[in-house]
Amino acid sequence: MQLKKYCLLLTAVSLCLSLSAQEFFKASAQYNPGRVNGIIITEAAIGTAVTFGLQYLWYKKFPHSRFHFFNDNAEWLNVDKVGHATTAYNIAAIQNDLLRWGGVRSGTAALIGSLTGLAFMTMIEVMDGHSSKWGFSKGDMLANIAGCVLFEDQQLLWHEQRISLKFSYHQTIFPKYYPAELGSNLPERMLKDYNGQSYWLSFNIGSFLPASSHFPNWLNLAVGYGAEGMVGAVKNPTEVNGHPIPEFKRYRQFYLSFDTDLYRIDGLSPLASSLLELNRTIKTPAPALEWNEVQGLRFHPFYY
């Protein structure tokens, strides 16, 4: 009997915690000052930590200079520019979702989200502008603005995101030739090895169809972009630290694949939907068609 009581008590506590979690992750129907203040305080703390972290752990390694501009439009076959747009877009989307969770009105949340994304990416560019190794890139800023505009325009037009910008990554052979430039470990390579990065415009098909079509509301069609053969930013070095580098052809890659928006599945709890929000940013691995000027048309049974 004692064990039965403990089991009943444990079941009751688990149920209460589950209900509390579901209620916590559910978007507020009205403005919730407690949630909004929590968002502001948390983001202020994170923003401060990121700023100081970048300044003292990254930019401090390189000499500072007077603010200057830098034209990097010819670098990395523009994969970095698509990355800027994708980052700005997703910051705007996440900020919007957080504010909607706090009960902020749709139009206001979308505008603040877009401005937040643009402000954060501008801060990075300003830091670059004071570093002698880089500079303030107008091309990067145009990409940042494009990502925020893509988010804001969809909110104005459809009050939802039917087209998402997503990211995927796979390891490549190129960092081993120049680890200082392309990364010496997995986290660094995910950020610096543009050969392994792919960026996707993911179209939620069902959002463009009438509800009577009964098309799966979680299934997307994705168009991707990437590049390969890059050991250096503009051109490949012939050697690094006295070690010869093989000759690689630098080329762009274009993809067509399926994707998912799993958080759209009907009947999900607020908790499950929140956990699946990661799928809003990261593309689902799937079969893909690739075209590039070197190999022509290729089929990947499983691409990420």
Side-chain angles (χ1 to χ4, degrees):
M1 285 294 294
Q2 197 71 14
L3 179 60
K4 186 176 180 180
K5 288 180 181 178
Y6 283 135
C7 289
L8 288 173
L9 178 60
L10 183 61
T11 301
V13 171
S14 299
L15 181 60
C16 290
L17 289 175
S18 176
L19 291 173
S20 298
Q22 300 299 346
E23 188 62 30
F24 177 80
F25 283 98
K26 185 178 180 180
S28 178
Q30 297 179 335
Y31 181 78
N32 187 319
R35 289 186 177 184
V36 174
N37 290 337
I39 292 168
I40 294 172
I41 293 171
T42 302
E43 289 186 348
I46 293 174
T48 301
V50 168
T51 302
F52 279 98
L54 286 171
Q55 185 65 40
Y56 290 100
L57 297 178
W58 181 256
Y59 288 102
K60 193 176 181 180
K61 299 177 182 178
F62 307 101
H64 282 213
S65 67
R66 294 182 62 182
F67 181 83
H68 63 284
F69 292 93
F70 175 65
N71 185 349
D72 62 351
N73 293 335
E75 294 186 356
W76 305 114
L77 295 178
N78 304 126
V79 176
D80 59 322
K81 298 295 179 284
V82 185
H84 271 267
T86 301
T87 303
Y89 169 87
N90 281 288
I91 292 174
I94 292 169
Q95 180 69 71
N96 172 77
D97 289 348
L98 287 171
L99 292 174
R100 292 293 292 143
W101 174 73
V104 176
R105 290 185 300 177
S106 177
T108 303
L111 179 59
I112 294 175
S114 299
L115 293 175
T116 300
L118 189 59
F120 180 81
M121 300 304 287
T122 301
M123 177 192 72
I124 302 296
E125 288 303 320
V126 171
M127 288 183 172
D128 281 352
H130 286 95
S131 173
S132 60
K133 183 175 175 62
W134 297 285
F136 188 100
S137 168
K138 295 178 182 179
D140 286 353
M141 275 307 299
L142 285 174
N144 298 335
I145 293 170
C148 293
V149 167
L150 176 64
F151 172 79
E152 179 68 19
D153 283 357
Q154 289 187 82
Q155 289 298 119
L156 291 173
L157 183 60
W158 298 314
H159 306 291
E160 64 174 344
Q161 295 298 297
R162 298 183 179 184
I163 307 169
S164 303
L165 272 171
K166 298 189 181 186
F167 166 82
S168 68
Y169 174 81
H170 60 274
Q171 295 198 61
T172 72
I173 64 171
F174 302 101
K176 69 180 182 181
Y177 296 109
Y178 201 172
E181 184 74 11
L182 302 177
S184 57
N185 54 56
L186 182 59
E188 286 186 355
R189 291 171 181 174
M190 291 181 70
L191 290 172
K192 300 170 70 175
D193 180 16
Y194 293 108
N195 301 280
Q197 298 177 9
S198 299
Y199 293 95
W200 306 81
L201 273 174
S202 186
F203 297 81
N204 183 251
I205 304 170
S207 298
F208 294 95
L209 301 175
S212 58
S213 68
H214 301 296
F215 190 88
N217 63 354
W218 50 267
L219 184 59
N220 292 14
L221 184 66
V223 178
Y225 176 70
E228 197 163 299
M230 302 175 293
V231 182
V234 178
K235 62 181 181 179
N236 295 342
T238 56
E239 64 175 44
V240 174
N241 297 327
H243 299 287
I245 304 296
E247 184 177 347
F248 295 109
K249 172 74 173 177
R250 300 163 64 96
Y251 60 92
R252 304 174 190 270
Q253 300 162 306
F254 302 91
Y255 300 97
L256 182 66
S257 181
F258 291 107
D259 186 30
T260 62
D261 278 346
L262 296 177
Y263 61 90
R264 296 180 185 267
I265 295 175
D266 293 330
L268 287 177
S269 66
L271 174 58
S273 181
S274 297
L275 292 174
L276 290 172
E277 281 286 327
L278 187 63
N279 189 214
R280 182 190 288 271
T281 303
I282 299 177
K283 183 192 175 296
T284 303
L289 282 174
E290 173 194 346
W291 183 88
N292 65 72
E293 62 178 346
V294 175
Q295 300 156 315
L297 190 65
R298 302 176 63 197
F299 174 70
H300 301 274
F302 188 75
Y303 187 85
Y304 55 94

